[in-house]
Amino acid sequence: MWTTLNGTKFFEQLVINVVKLPGVKVDRTEFLAKSLSKHVTVRQLADILEKGPVQSNVSKKLIRRVAKKTILNRTMKSSSASFAAGYLVGWSWRPLFQRPRLSSLA
């Protein structure tokens, strides 16, 4: 693994710093409750939160469907934010490239 000048492992330090960012950590209980509440009964949800989806015999089909929906939703949000940020940055640079040429002013 890479080491920095002071001897700490670069990758290890990177992971430690990334986990400190807001939005990187996920509250497992909240995530499972939000993701599965529309698909299971209250009793099943309590069992899932206690044991986990696999140990609570949640079907693989349901887990895949919820996972795909979650991934698609997060990807769309991320792509939209990225597009908006790029669009705004591109728009702010636009006036620099549309300046009149000196030869056309004469």
Side-chain angles (χ1 to χ4, degrees), residues 7-105:
T8 61
K9 294 182 178 177
F10 174 76
F11 185 73
E12 194 174 304
Q13 194 63 38
L14 177 68
V15 170
I16 289 169
N17 288 331
V18 166
V19 171
K20 291 178 185 177
L21 294 172
V24 174
K25 286 186 180 180
V26 175
D27 180 3
R28 183 177 188 271
T29 304
E30 181 183 334
F31 173 76
L32 287 173
K34 185 177 178 183
S35 299
L36 296 172
S37 63
K38 295 178 184 175
H39 305 284
V40 296
T41 65
V42 175
R43 183 174 285 166
Q44 287 174 319
L45 184 59
D47 193 41
I48 290 168
L49 296 178
E50 182 182 328
K51 299 177 186 175
V54 175
Q55 289 78 15
S56 299
N57 295 323
V58 176
S59 71
K60 289 182 181 181
K61 185 178 180 181
L62 176 59
I63 293 172
R64 282 192 194 108
R65 186 169 29 142
V66 170
K68 283 183 180 182
K69 181 180 175 185
T70 302
I71 291 168
L72 180 63
N73 187 11
R74 300 284 168 101
T75 302
M76 289 298 288
K77 286 180 182 178
S78 174
S79 296
S80 298
S82 179
F83 173 78
Y87 185 78
L88 292 174
V89 169
W91 188 260
S92 68
W93 281 87
R94 190 170 180 220
L96 297 175
F97 298 110
Q98 293 184 343
R99 292 183 180 156
R101 296 183 187 150
L102 293 177
S103 60
S104 64
L105 295 176

